[in-house]
Amino acid sequence: MMVESASETIRTTPSNQNGVSSLSSQSDGGGGREGGSNGDTNGEISPVDLLHLQQQQALQAARQFLLQQASGLNSPGSNEVKQSPVQVPVSMAMMSPQMITPQQMQQILSPPQLQALLQQQQALMLQQVQHTHTHTRTHPLLLDPVPGWHQLSSKQLAFQQQLIQMQQLQQQHILNLQRQGLVPLQPTAAMQSLQVWRFYTLLLILIKYLPLFAGYFMCTLYYITFNTRFAVSVCLSVHSHEEHASSHPLYGHGECKWPGCEALCEDMGQFIKHLNNEHALDDRSTAQCRVQMQVVQQLEIQLAKESERLQAMMTHLHMRPSEPKPFNQPLNLASSGSLLKRDSEAYPEGLPHPPTSAATPITPLRQGPSVISSSSLHTHSHSHTHAVGPIRRRNSDKYCTPIASELAQNCEFYKNADVRPPFTYASLIRHAILESPERQLTLNEIYNWFTRKFAYFRRNTATWKNAVRHNLSLHKCFVRVENVKGAVWTVDEVEYQKRRPPKMTGSPTLVKNMISGLGFGSLNASYQAALAESSLSLLNSPPLVTPTSAASLNMLHVGHDDVSSTVEQVNSNGSCSPTLSPQQYSHPVHVKEEPTELEEDSRPVSLLAGVTHSLPLPSDERDLEEDLPTEELE
DNA sequence: CGCCCCTTAAACAGGT
DNA sequence: GACCTGTTTAAGGGGC
């Protein structure tokens, strides 16, 4: 009911797209342009330069693709220049939807197959180059990516031609090597070609499958198009037909390109009708758009990774980096990764360890402050600091994308987008209280927190305020404390943990619990369904379904719907105070009746997380598991 | 089907 | 009396 009126309240403009808009400044022909500049600076073109150029082209193509993804989200009208050099690689990527290393590929593919792939990849490169310097107007299927881009200087053209020749020679050399079975292991031309190919493949696989990862990652890029009924234009299609140059970015090949839709529409009118009917502004569309944003985010991360890889390769080859590349975050599939920087070096088992440096910090592509907002808030909460279980906590974070990190990362989003946060009132209230310096808030302060943090709660105040009051009174975890200046509300952590759902056991329920653990338990059906259907694949995907132990599985319930559990857990890593009790955590004023006797046992384990203690794990996993609630306390 | 959780609505009381 | 705060009850939906 509230969703319907959401479209009426558009109060923001898509002004924050820093991560993407920075990419948008990279034009389609950027790679070629860089190559051209190289050609300007260097009279002689070395093979190393060519490799560099190839890599740059690949990255530029990826950037362009990201740009398209992002621009599809941002502005529906920005898709006119949507030809893409990534077009053809799509087919390559779909040919082999596996992420394999060049070595693995050599093992898998026969030499002819490998040769064909290489030829195809090389042809792509050549096609790109030729496309740029033989004028795009000669190619009916390609649009001019950037006006004036084809107006290269003669020197640049000469460079391009030289590049083509070198590439041909290079390709021939590679194929000869392949025929002879001499596949060098060091990053040579063949390997780098494979690397480029792999990059394409990886990117496009991500495009293809990342939408399925929906509920798992709460996206962070923040677009205001949520507020408009039809402004959510997600362009999943890498192809763009010239006959549809003026068409809708979500429409192509006679079918709807909305993620997961593929409904057949004969013409634009039918498509528009379909779009209005099936993809109107509702929870499901919102969730899907959120997923798409996550796709973009992941691609950006991946792009950063590949850029770093390129830098490393170039460094290895004694090449001069063309530009300082932002080093990236390790591909931490847990969206709470930003909150887990402290122990990011130690990857939880089951998570894919990034091949590249894990210690390099990332420049957030989105709202920088949002990533640290909750963290910083809780670092101030000096005394109430308890550590968390190292492995289990991370597993918990991994599976139950903590709402804290979700809020932390998407605070700007929720602040501006009129989207209902997928958390329960109790979770939000608890988060608000725990976020406060004193860990206590008056009712009015809770109200203010809601309105301050969520655009959604700036309307229908009577409804949600009533709900807030109702929750405060209903749940025993919220304790009213008389204060000098009135009454404040605090959180009784023990009680809060008590109300958590029973731990999951079987695999069928696992997924659902995990989803609910993501904080979507309170969503309405459509939203849940949208997220669930997108999450299933991810949750079943190998890297995330390799639970390290029964304990890790049982941890899954810990994050249920809490907003802040992970925030304080993670941020309390540094300060180890095993003697602090949950009561102290919840509130000093509150008098508790039944302290948990086992908490002292679990506490040392929880200290492992941030400070890499080597305390032995308690042998009794069951007891530990029962202690989890207290373990979460600070 | 029953239970539980969550949301929403509403009535009511007490205080300012 | 209006408003805020807090409590309580009820209904409905969804998951298990």
Side-chain angles (χ1 to χ4, degrees):
Chain A
M1 53 187 246
M2 297 183 178
V3 179
E4 288 185 355
S5 57
S7 59
E8 302 168 3
T9 57
I10 305 170
R11 55 174 63 87
T12 52
T13 56
S15 56
N16 277 350
Q17 315 141 9
N18 24 6
V20 176
S21 58
S22 64
L23 293 173
S24 66
S25 62
Q26 307 280 352
S27 69
D28 183 29
R33 201 163 46 226
E34 283 187 25
S37 64
N38 284 347
D40 284 338
T41 54
N42 304 329
E44 300 272 325
I45 307 303
S46 66
V48 173
D49 291 328
L50 292 175
L51 294 177
H52 180 198
L53 180 65
Q54 273 195 348
Q55 291 282 348
Q56 290 300 325
Q57 285 179 325
L59 289 172
Q60 287 301 325
R63 287 195 185 101
Q64 172 66 15
F65 184 80
L66 291 176
L67 167 62
Q68 289 180 0
Q69 292 278 313
S71 64
L73 281 167
N74 281 328
S75 58
S78 66
N79 298 293
E80 292 87 57
V81 285
K82 181 136 329 159
Q83 78 78 201
S84 168
V86 206
Q87 282 181 353
V88 189
V90 170
S91 61
M92 296 176 61
M94 293 311 130
M95 282 169 52
S96 176
Q98 304 285 335
M99 290 165 54
I100 53 178
T101 66
Q103 291 84 353
Q104 289 172 326
M105 192 160 73
Q106 290 158 10
Q107 294 171 357
I108 295 171
L109 299 178
S110 65
Q113 288 174 317
L114 195 57
Q115 177 179 335
L117 279 177
L118 285 169
Q119 284 175 336
Q120 198 169 349
Q121 194 267 332
Q122 289 288 327
L124 286 173
M125 294 295 183
L126 293 175
Q127 184 183 2
Q128 266 186 267
V129 176
Q130 288 168 347
H131 159 69
T132 57
H133 88 292
T134 59
H135 303 292
T136 55
R137 63 180 84 102
T138 62
H139 199 307
L141 291 179
L142 294 178
L143 301 176
D144 195 352
V146 173
W149 152 231
H150 54 272
Q151 297 168 359
L152 300 174
S153 66
S154 59
K155 199 170 182 179
Q156 288 171 322
L157 288 177
F159 169 75
Q160 298 283 0
Q161 289 171 348
Q162 199 172 356
L163 168 67
I164 295 169
Q165 294 174 359
M166 293 298 291
Q167 282 182 318
Q168 288 171 341
L169 290 175
Q170 173 193 350
Q171 177 189 10
Q172 204 61 38
H173 176 62
I174 294 168
L175 296 179
N176 287 337
L177 289 178
Q178 287 297 320
R179 273 194 280 270
Q180 300 165 13
L182 302 175
V183 182
L185 292 178
Q186 62 193 60
T188 61
M191 194 167 163
Q192 294 206 9
S193 295
L194 291 174
Q195 184 67 37
V196 174
W197 178 87
R198 179 186 168 201
F199 179 37
Y200 274 126
T201 307
L202 180 62
L203 267 180
L204 294 157
I205 290 170
L206 283 170
I207 295 301
K208 184 76 176 176
Y209 294 108
L210 262 177
L212 305 174
F213 290 6
Y216 208 80
F217 305 106
M218 300 304 282
C219 58
T220 308
L221 299 177
Y222 119 89
Y223 302 104
I224 312 305
T225 48
F226 281 93
N227 290 324
T228 58
R229 184 168 286 266
F230 306 118
V232 184
S233 59
V234 180
C235 182
L236 260 188
S237 173
V238 184
H239 313 274
S240 65
H241 273 188
E242 64 168 356
E243 66 263 24
H244 293 145
S246 62
S247 68
H248 199 285
L250 287 173
Y251 181 61
H253 296 286
E255 62 181 31
C256 176
K257 295 296 183 183
W258 189 275
C261 180
E262 298 179 1
L264 295 176
C265 302
E266 292 180 1
D267 53 16
M268 180 58 81
Q270 188 177 350
F271 164 73
I272 294 297
K273 196 174 298 180
H274 160 81
L275 196 62
N276 293 351
N277 292 334
E278 302 299 327
H279 307 303
L281 177 63
D282 55 12
D283 291 334
R284 183 186 179 88
S285 298
T286 301
Q288 289 171 325
C289 191
R290 187 194 297 272
V291 170
Q292 184 65 16
M293 289 195 281
Q294 185 61 42
V295 171
V296 175
Q297 179 189 353
Q298 291 298 320
L299 285 171
E300 287 168 340
I301 294 174
Q302 188 64 30
L303 174 62
K305 263 185 65 177
E306 295 298 334
S307 299
E308 185 185 4
R309 191 199 307 268
L310 168 64
Q311 292 300 109
M313 294 166 69
M314 291 168 60
T315 302
H316 174 73
L317 297 175
H318 309 291
M319 299 169 72
R320 185 187 66 246
S322 60
E323 62 185 55
K325 303 280 184 182
F327 275 47
N328 62 305
Q329 183 184 35
L331 183 60
N332 190 350
L333 288 179
S335 70
S336 59
S338 59
L339 294 175
L340 294 170
K341 269 182 199 140
R342 247 178 289 183
D343 46 11
S344 62
E345 278 85 357
Y347 283 87
E349 51 279 51
L351 265 185
H353 294 208
T356 52
S357 163
T360 50
I362 187 176
T363 301
L365 293 170
R366 46 186 166 280
Q367 295 298 304
S370 69
V371 177
I372 57 172
S373 59
S374 291
S375 318
S376 55
L377 279 172
H378 282 272
T379 47
H380 300 322
S381 53
H382 36 80
S383 59
H384 310 93
T385 48
H386 280 203
V388 298
I391 299 173
R392 309 168 105 227
R393 168 54 53 215
R394 278 188 298 241
N395 279 330
S396 170
D397 292 341
K398 174 178 63 179
Y399 286 103
C400 307
T401 304
I403 303 173
S405 64
E406 153 70 4
L407 281 185
Q409 294 186 355
N410 299 329
C411 68
E412 289 298 321
F413 170 74
Y414 288 118
K415 206 175 286 184
N416 296 282
D418 195 5
V419 175
R420 175 170 189 140
F423 318 122
T424 63
Y425 282 114
S427 303
L428 291 171
I429 294 169
R430 173 177 176 265
H431 187 62
I433 294 173
L434 295 182
E435 213 183 62
S436 66
E438 304 293 326
R439 291 179 183 273
Q440 60 181 29
L441 289 177
T442 64
L443 179 65
N444 199 41
E445 288 169 339
I446 295 175
Y447 288 162
N448 293 335
W449 185 88
F450 271 70
T451 52
R452 194 174 61 247
K453 295 285 186 178
F454 304 96
Y456 179 84
F457 290 121
R458 285 167 206 154
R459 54 192 181 83
N460 292 335
T461 55
T463 299
W464 64 262
K465 282 181 178 178
N466 185 23
V468 167
R469 291 194 306 271
H470 166 76
N471 275 267
L472 284 172
S473 295
L474 186 67
H475 299 303
K476 285 190 288 184
C477 59
F478 299 122
V479 182
R480 187 173 176 273
V481 178
E482 288 289 345
N483 210 346
V484 271
K485 54 176 186 177
V488 293
W489 288 93
T490 62
V491 176
D492 181 349
E493 269 302 318
V494 174
E495 284 296 331
Y496 184 83
Q497 307 297 343
K498 277 182 184 176
R499 54 181 280 279
R500 298 200 156 172
K503 53 189 149 233
M504 68 192 71
T505 48
S507 58
T509 55
L510 171 65
V511 170
K512 285 193 173 181
N513 280 318
M514 287 161 71
I515 293 170
S516 70
L518 298 172
F520 306 137
S522 65
L523 299 180
N524 62 33
S526 57
Y527 196 5
Q528 277 194 19
L531 293 179
E533 76 175 12
S534 320
S535 308
L536 288 178
S537 295
L538 170 75
L539 299 174
N540 290 326
S541 64
L544 295 169
V545 184
T546 47
T548 59
S549 63
S552 66
L553 266 182
N554 289 325
M555 275 297 290
L556 297 180
H557 76 278
V558 171
H560 175 52
D561 61 351
D562 56 346
V563 175
S564 56
S565 61
T566 303
V567 165
E568 55 260 23
Q569 287 149 10
V570 171
N571 293 291
S572 60
N573 282 351
S575 168
C576 316
S577 50
T579 56
L580 280 182
S581 67
Q583 297 84 330
Q584 290 171 285
Y585 168 77
S586 62
H587 196 268
V589 183
H590 179 56
V591 180
K592 282 231 55 84
E593 56 284 344
E594 46 117 344
T596 52
E597 54 281 24
L598 290 176
E599 62 187 296
E600 296 297 315
D601 295 332
S602 66
R603 196 75 60 192
V605 180
S606 64
L607 298 178
L608 290 172
V611 288
T612 63
H613 286 171
S614 56
L615 294 175
L617 281 166
S619 56
D620 191 344
E621 285 284 307
R622 283 292 147 187
D623 286 348
L624 189 67
E625 166 191 326
E626 297 301 327
D627 287 344
L628 288 177
T630 54
E631 173 186 324
E632 286 200 343
L633 307 178
E634 295 194 3

